[in-house]
Amino acid sequence: MKNLFKTISVLLFVASSLFGASSVYAEGPKRVLIVMSSESAMGISGKLTGTWFEEVATPYYTLRKEGYEVVMASLEGGDAPIDLLSMQAPFTTPNTDKFLNDIVAMHALENTNKLSEINPDDFDALFFPGGYGLLWDLASDSMTIKMIEDFYAANKPIAMVCHAPAILRDVKKANGEPLVKGLTVTGFMNAEDDELDLSRHLLFSLEDMLKANGGNYKKTKKNWVAHIEIDGPLMTGQNPASAPVLAKALAKRLK
């Protein structure tokens, strides 16, 4: 019996060491939440969409390589839809190929956490990959909007690439002004939407919205050229080519 009590005491000590307030786990690596759309269609257009694959795969590996913990979430949870076009050449990359053959990564993508069941306070940064789906769900989701407002107020980095800055449409500063007012930002430009012949199918223009909300919108002269802007905790990237650059900038910011 004495040995039993001794064993229990040892187990309790180990448990408190692992899970207590001052545990190694609590002081573990910084955590980044990748937030994706759950929408697979572009409204009533009949066109399929989803998250752009490269904008998930490259940030995932870039951040993990730097030692950060990466957690995936989507508005509805479960299998987050990926834009099928982004899974085909010439839009694939070594990282998308790697991701498809990575059992752990694919499991995370197919079993994303439901955003409403996530505690944002558990994370040090947010990363929003692009894709058209988010115009129909994340851009009008109250929890997503509040989460961004809280992170900005706490000076915690918010990285958004391609169409993800569209989520900023209804995000406000503490004084009630649009969050982007006076901030230098970028995002998928009208000319890039036009080249894909998709502008007429969108709920709103990302470029026009950022300008209308008072953002200092910057873009490249040519389509598809990598370009990012950083203004305080808000970090934005223009297009898929910008995802690797933005991910590296976020990884550096978190050090």
Side-chain angles (χ1 to χ4, degrees), residues 214-235:
N216 178 23
Y217 178 81
K218 300 288 186 180
K219 61 183 178 180
T220 56
K221 292 182 179 179
K222 293 183 178 180
N223 293 354
W224 318 113
V225 177
H227 171 221
I228 71 169
E229 294 289 345
I230 300 173
D231 197 333
L234 184 60
M235 312 172 71

Side-chain angles (χ1 to χ4, degrees), residues 33 35 115 120-121 125-128 134 137-160 163-174 178-180 183 233-236:
L33 182 65
V35 184
L115 192 57
D121 294 338
L126 301 174
F127 191 98
F128 291 87
L134 56 83
D137 63 0
L138 292 176
S140 56
D141 177 63
S142 58
M143 178 179 176
T144 302
I145 292 169
K146 185 179 186 306
M147 182 170 64
I148 294 171
E149 291 173 344
D150 290 346
F151 267 68
Y152 186 83
N155 200 36
K156 294 164 73 174
I158 307 148
M160 315 178 90
H163 278 89
I167 302 169
L168 298 172
R169 180 186 61 184
D170 299 324
V171 179
K172 308 292 184 185
K173 294 177 181 174
L179 180 70
V180 300
L183 299 183
L234 184 60
M235 312 172 71
T236 51

